[in-house]
Amino acid sequence: MKDALAYPVYIQECEGCYCVRIPDFDQYTEGHTIGEAMMMARDCISSLGIYYEDEGKEIPAPFSVDSSPEGNEKLYMIDVDFSTERMKP
C-alpha cells in the first residue's frame, strides 16, 4: 500500500458552500467551510484509496490526470496517509 501522498484538489465557493473537485479519482464533494471542504476531500481520497486496494485496483498517483482550474477554482494539495487511514475505526 502507498503511504503518504499529496493529491491536488480544486475548491471554489458555490451557493453557500465550497465545492471540491478531485481529478485523480474523478470525484466531487463539498463542505460548508474551506476547512470542512478540505476534510471531506481527504476523507473521500482515503476511502477510495482503501477501496481500490481492497478491490485489487491500483491507487491513482497524484497528478495522474492532467487538469487545470475551472472557473474560480483554486488549487489545494491534500495529504493522505493510506496506511494510517486504514487503521481508523
Side-chain angles (χ1 to χ4, degrees):
M1 172 179 274
K2 296 179 181 183
D3 293 322
L5 298 170
Y7 284 90
V9 301
Y10 296 95
I11 301 177
Q12 69 177 331
E13 191 170 358
C14 27
E15 299 183 23
C17 68
Y18 291 88
C19 299
V20 182
R21 182 169 59 94
I22 308 167
D24 292 306
F25 288 89
D26 192 27
Q27 293 292 310
Y28 297 84
T29 188
E30 63 184 36
H32 294 293
T33 65
I34 287 280
E36 185 177 280
M38 294 174 79
M39 182 179 67
M40 295 299 290
R42 181 174 289 111
D43 185 55
C44 182
I45 293 167
S46 62
S47 296
L48 282 169
I50 290 168
Y51 171 77
Y52 279 30
E53 184 179 67
D54 289 348
E55 294 297 310
K57 298 179 182 179
E58 186 174 340
I59 297 172
F63 294 102
S64 62
V65 174
D66 186 23
S67 65
S68 301
E70 299 173 357
N72 293 325
E73 292 179 330
K74 293 182 182 173
L75 171 66
Y76 292 84
M77 297 300 294
I78 302 296
D79 64 315
V80 177
D81 185 335
F82 293 110
S83 60
T84 301
E85 293 296 323
R86 181 172 282 285
M87 291 188 285
K88 289 184 178 179

